[in-house]
Amino acid sequence: MARSRVLTGWNLFVFGSLFQAVVVVLADGMNFRSFYFTEEPTDIIVQKGQPAILNCSAVGDPAPTIEWKKDQLFLNLVGDTRRTILPNGSLRINNVTHSRNDRPDEGLYECVATVDNLGTIVSRTARLQVATLGRFEEEPRSTSAFLGDTAIFRCSVDAVPPAKIRWQKNRDRKSVV
């Protein structure tokens, strides 16, 4: 919702959210033009080799130009066959790439909308992560304890999304307390 305050012959309009805002100063008598995000990107976890879409849509008059940043740098999509900006402004990655030494698609993304002679707004930051199979950082080890004592088994797994660890005793899930 836009708010107005008269500043000696000028109107100050402020609108937006905690994450982004646009301030437009117009001379009295000029028409105020709306310019805001209707959809901003959100964090996603994607499987390697699968497509990913980071949603973004903005309205303005004239229609905003949409660009994307990854890790605070503008993406150069000229000649890029894997990444494209869809008509609504969303970023599509056709085949998410990920290897042990090369993770070009993982990172922090921002949608940048610009209306000439009006300004630029930047969306909230969204994290794209590639799902990885977990590997044990710490595995349970055999231990012994006296009757009535406590035995501690440690287990931690590094995975995206975080692994859900379930315990079994003698391969019987029902017997776990």
Side-chain angles (χ1 to χ4, degrees), residues 70-162:
K70 178 185 174 285
D71 300 327
Q72 299 182 350
L73 299 173
F74 280 100
L75 291 174
N76 180 2
L77 301 177
V78 175
D80 192 329
T81 58
R82 286 188 329 104
R83 300 177 299 187
T84 56
I85 297 177
L86 301 176
N88 71 346
S90 296
L91 177 67
R92 178 182 169 87
I93 302 172
N94 291 327
N95 180 15
V96 172
T97 303
H98 183 88
S99 68
R100 184 178 301 216
N101 299 321
D102 189 28
R103 299 174 181 186
D105 297 324
E106 276 194 334
L108 302 174
Y109 288 81
E110 295 171 310
C111 177
V112 179
T114 303
V115 172
D116 289 336
N117 300 319
L118 186 58
T120 297
I121 54 176
V122 179
S123 72
R124 71 175 57 100
T125 300
R127 177 182 302 275
L128 184 146
Q129 293 179 287
V130 179
T132 57
L133 293 175
R135 66 173 171 66
F136 283 95
E137 293 179 323
E138 186 175 14
E139 295 184 50
R141 293 190 169 92
S142 295
T143 189
S144 58
F146 292 106
L147 186 63
D149 285 350
T150 301
I152 298 175
F153 296 94
R154 299 186 193 285
C155 179
S156 73
V157 178
D158 180 28
V160 175

Side-chain angles (χ1 to χ4, degrees), residues 33-52:
R33 296 179 298 188
S34 295
F35 178 34
Y36 57 92
F37 286 108
T38 55
E39 187 170 17
E40 296 185 61
T42 57
D43 295 347
I44 59 171
I45 299 173
V46 183
Q47 291 182 0
K48 173 183 163 183
Q50 296 298 308

